[in-house]
Amino acid sequence: MLRILSFLEDFGEELETSVELFAPNPYFRMTLHLVRGHLEAKTVTPTSLIGASQVPYATATRRLKEMVSSGLIEQRPRTHTGKSFSLHPSEKLLEQWMQLSGRVARLAERRFGGRERGTDSKDYYFGGSYMSAQSIPPLKVLPEPLKVSGGIRVLVHGDPTFMVMDNLKRQFEQVIGTQIHQRAFSIDRLREEAMRNADRKNSRYDIIALDLPWVGGYAEQGLLMPLDEAMDIARIDPADFHTAGWQAAHWNGRPYGVPAQTTPELLFYRKDLFAESGLEPPTTTDMLLDAAKALHDPSHGRYGIAWNAARGTALGHTVLMTMADFGQPILDLPAIAGGFKTDDLAKGSYRPTVDTDLGLQAAEFLLEMLRYSPPDILSMSWYERIRPYAAGKIAMAYGYTLLAPYFELDESSPAYGQTGYLPHPTGAGASPVAPVGGYIMGIPANLAPERVTAAVEALMVFTSPEAQKLYVQNGSRTNPRYSVGADPEVRRTSPIFEAVDGMSWRDELQFWSRPPVPEICDIIQICGEEFHDMLRGIVTPREALKAAQARADALILPG
């Protein structure tokens, strides 16, 4: 929209200066100034808007009043007296401007050519023109600025998506009308800080982010306010969220947060290397091992596959997800169509299921995969496995979609434009699974009552379709909403969104691989320690399974 806006500004200048009879159009010029101010998070006042019109003051004032009365401009008080206010484009004006931007772009491509010239007829006949009209509009400012002492305080994870949110802080501050103070931590420190915050009389944060598996523990310990106590759930449009991501935000039938990221762990693979070697994209663990072996070439600095194998939390996640690839949940969950049932976890009637026949197959698969991994694999975690993939040193890597910007936005990366996305290859005839990760944003239970209303409104803004689209346009590769994944502008940024949407519709996005019980973090840690000893050759697979089972039983089973 900014690109089209700049073009129209320049074109308008050319018209008005080249032909003597042309006069400035105040409606057009004020609209340009207003929309640019909104998109660039710059305050627009009546004085600045009248100045942008380039017509006499009285004329500009009349045109401004007409635009306000027509519902194109909204006024928001800047002071308690209401005598001073800022001006913002209304939702009506933003939608009209977005549609105009699309039409101008298509007209220019049709008349003068461009990189998308050949797609015009195809887009028209297959719904492209209609879909462009359904694009999600930009964020709209709140009618009233949030009245909250010291601004909105947010605790988040230090990952690319939340860093995009921090980079856009100025835009969000304009939208909600107050300051935003964001603190970001690594995954383990994030949980520690949330625990410390719960011990305070009044929460230091208005909104906190939490990893999906933590929901049960946070709910049982009273760290989070049930969302249905703080707001009308219908306001966030629950049906718009990927089913697995929305269900994972629940405990004992109640939602405790709003999905801010739905980021499944997928298999990233180099399509060009597979084509050169005549390999098919792997759908089974056997196919994956065959491909890893074929593409493993240490003498030339290339390795078959990278994955989370660092001791503790990182490897623990891999163990749980690999067991899920073989159809084995980490708890004795009842099987249902499409996966395993997690609705009754709050009743506490579950036990660990680590030491099983399928668990043994998963352990042996990890040992086999170790043979085609980089020499430093046992110290690799979330970021370390993606960086060498982006550098062209790895042919395949398990990775969350939120890490895709490392190679999707780097044109110098050998993986740029050459990456395919698959759910986890499966073993033992199990159904394909794309284990859902990501974060929800919730309201601390100990938040001062006078701050709850403002926290809810800010939460609505941060997780809205408009905000999610903005994150994507600024580099994020996570998305919790169907509407955002279907947006044509979002689809053009990366093939990852179409791939994930397809997995969701095929019911491959699942969160049962890391069930959100209170003990899950300890179980993950146990598996990450015992299986690390197995990978180092200290214990056998059976010994690792037996030790992990005993320690997990001690966490959950009485006596």
Side-chain angles (χ1 to χ4, degrees):
M1 289 177 66
L2 274 172
R3 183 168 57 92
I4 298 297
L5 189 147
S6 296
F7 165 74
L8 291 174
E9 283 179 332
D10 294 342
F11 184 62
E13 289 282 354
E14 291 294 332
L15 280 177
E16 292 169 10
T17 57
S18 299
V19 182
E20 292 182 3
L21 294 179
F22 271 84
N25 182 326
Y27 299 115
F28 182 64
R29 284 196 167 276
M30 287 194 288
T31 298
L32 288 172
H33 185 74
L34 192 67
V35 173
R36 178 177 287 281
H38 180 70
L39 294 178
E40 294 182 345
K42 295 178 180 177
T43 301
V44 177
T45 65
T47 301
S48 67
L49 197 59
I50 288 172
S53 69
Q54 294 189 9
V55 296
Y57 183 87
T59 302
T61 301
R62 288 196 299 272
R63 300 298 178 260
L64 174 57
K65 289 180 179 178
E66 290 169 4
M67 294 178 74
V68 172
S69 63
S70 297
L72 298 176
I73 296 178
E74 292 185 356
Q75 304 175 90
R76 189 166 74 180
R78 299 179 66 190
T79 61
H80 294 299
T81 64
K83 294 181 179 179
S84 174
F85 48 86
S86 58
L87 301 178
H88 306 272
S90 67
E91 185 174 0
K92 176 182 177 181
L93 179 56
L94 286 174
E95 288 180 353
Q96 291 177 352
W97 192 264
M98 183 178 64
Q99 293 177 17
L100 173 64
S101 297
R103 291 197 297 270
V104 170
R106 289 193 294 276
L107 283 171
E109 288 159 5
R110 185 178 304 127
R111 299 299 182 189
F112 304 115
R115 61 180 180 178
E116 299 179 21
R117 184 179 184 181
T119 64
D120 287 345
S121 60
K122 177 181 175 182
D123 283 350
Y124 177 80
Y125 287 111
F126 288 92
S129 177
Y130 172 78
M131 286 299 294
S132 293
Q134 303 303 307
S135 294
I136 297 168
L139 274 167
K140 176 179 173 288
V141 297
L142 298 181
E144 295 284 336
L146 296 184
K147 296 178 175 61
V148 58
S149 175
I152 292 293
R153 304 166 303 196
V154 189
L155 175 66
V156 300
H157 180 231
D159 63 47
T161 294
F162 283 124
M163 291 304 96
V164 165
M165 179 178 168
D166 189 53
N167 293 338
L168 296 168
K169 187 174 75 166
R170 185 175 172 184
Q171 280 90 329
F172 282 104
E173 287 178 339
Q174 183 191 54
V175 169
I176 67 175
T178 190
Q179 289 183 319
I180 298 170
H181 307 283
Q182 179 170 304
R183 296 188 74 193
F185 291 98
S186 63
I187 186 168
D188 290 329
R189 289 190 61 202
L190 174 65
R191 187 163 176 263
E192 291 169 3
E193 177 62 16
M195 297 297 178
R196 283 194 296 270
N197 186 65
D199 292 334
R200 300 179 178 117
K201 181 180 179 181
N202 287 313
S203 173
R204 180 177 291 175
Y205 307 100
D206 299 293
I207 298 170
I208 60 174
L210 61 148
D211 196 9
L212 289 181
W214 302 347
V215 172
Y218 277 37
E220 290 291 323
Q221 295 176 61
L223 272 66
L224 284 175
M225 185 181 298
L227 206 60
D228 51 8
E229 283 186 8
M231 65 180 296
D232 176 8
I233 298 300
R235 292 184 65 199
I236 61 174
D237 191 9
D240 189 33
F241 291 102
H242 286 293
T243 304
W246 176 241
Q247 289 177 343
H250 287 66
W251 181 253
N252 201 18
R254 302 183 75 179
Y256 280 84
V258 184
Q261 301 178 23
T262 296
T263 174
E265 183 177 90
L266 308 179
L267 179 70
F268 304 155
Y269 71 98
R270 286 280 300 279
K271 294 187 294 184
D272 53 338
L273 297 181
F274 270 69
E276 291 170 10
S277 301
L279 296 167
E280 291 293 324
T283 56
T284 67
T285 50
D286 287 340
M287 291 177 66
L288 181 142
L289 291 173
D290 289 342
K293 181 179 180 180
L295 297 171
H296 190 61
D297 189 6
S299 62
H300 290 88
R302 191 178 74 197
Y303 303 93
I305 189 165
W307 39 293
N308 265 7
R311 187 178 184 86
T313 302
L315 177 56
H317 281 85
T318 293
V319 171
L320 269 62
M321 292 180 182
T322 304
M323 291 179 67
D325 298 341
F326 284 82
Q328 174 66 69
I330 196 66
L331 303 176
D332 58 341
L333 305 176
I336 58 173
F340 293 87
K341 187 177 181 181
T342 58
D343 297 347
D344 300 326
L345 289 174
K347 297 177 180 178
S349 56
Y350 51 81
R351 65 176 297 272
T353 48
V354 185
D355 190 5
T356 65
D357 290 340
L358 292 176
L360 179 61
Q361 291 186 48
E364 291 173 340
F365 167 72
L366 291 177
L367 275 175
E368 187 68 16
M369 196 161 56
L370 186 66
R371 298 175 56 188
Y372 312 115
S373 302
D376 57 343
I377 187 66
L378 295 183
S379 63
M380 280 190 175
S381 58
W382 287 270
Y383 298 97
E384 287 79 10
R385 59 180 170 170
I386 299 302
R387 289 191 182 107
Y389 176 80
K393 298 177 181 178
I394 310 290
M396 295 180 288
Y398 285 104
Y400 285 112
T401 59
L402 69 85
L403 298 177
Y406 277 102
F407 51 85
E408 279 206 349
L409 303 181
D410 181 4
E411 295 186 16
S412 67
S413 168
Y416 176 81
Q418 295 293 342
T419 296
Y421 303 101
L422 293 171
H424 279 214
T426 59
S431 299
V433 173
V436 169
Y439 289 81
I440 66 171
M441 300 181 83
I443 299 173
N446 58 339
L447 182 63
E450 65 271 15
R451 301 184 69 89
V452 172
T453 298
V456 167
E457 296 305 316
L459 181 64
M460 290 278 298
V461 169
F462 297 155
T463 59
S464 66
E466 295 84 359
Q468 294 292 338
K469 179 178 177 179
L470 189 60
Y471 301 150
V472 170
Q473 291 175 317
N474 284 272
S476 170
R477 290 298 179 265
T478 72
N479 164 46
R481 291 181 176 269
Y482 288 113
S483 61
V484 178
D487 184 285
E489 292 177 276
V490 169
R491 291 264 178 149
R492 284 195 289 269
T493 63
S494 169
I496 212 164
F497 296 107
E498 184 174 359
V500 170
D501 269 5
M503 294 175 202
S504 182
W505 290 116
R506 294 191 299 270
D507 213 18
E508 293 169 353
L509 296 189
Q510 298 285 341
F511 72 94
W512 57 260
S513 59
R514 296 185 303 161
V517 295
E519 304 88 354
I520 194 64
C521 292
D522 292 327
I523 293 175
I524 289 171
Q525 184 69 25
I526 288 168
C527 291
E529 292 171 357
E530 299 298 338
F531 278 70
H532 200 265
D533 288 345
M534 178 196 76
L535 295 174
R536 291 168 59 205
I538 297 174
V539 299
T540 66
R542 289 189 180 278
E543 289 171 338
L545 289 165
K546 184 177 180 180
Q549 180 73 51
R551 291 177 63 187
D553 282 340
L555 280 175
I556 296 176
L557 298 182

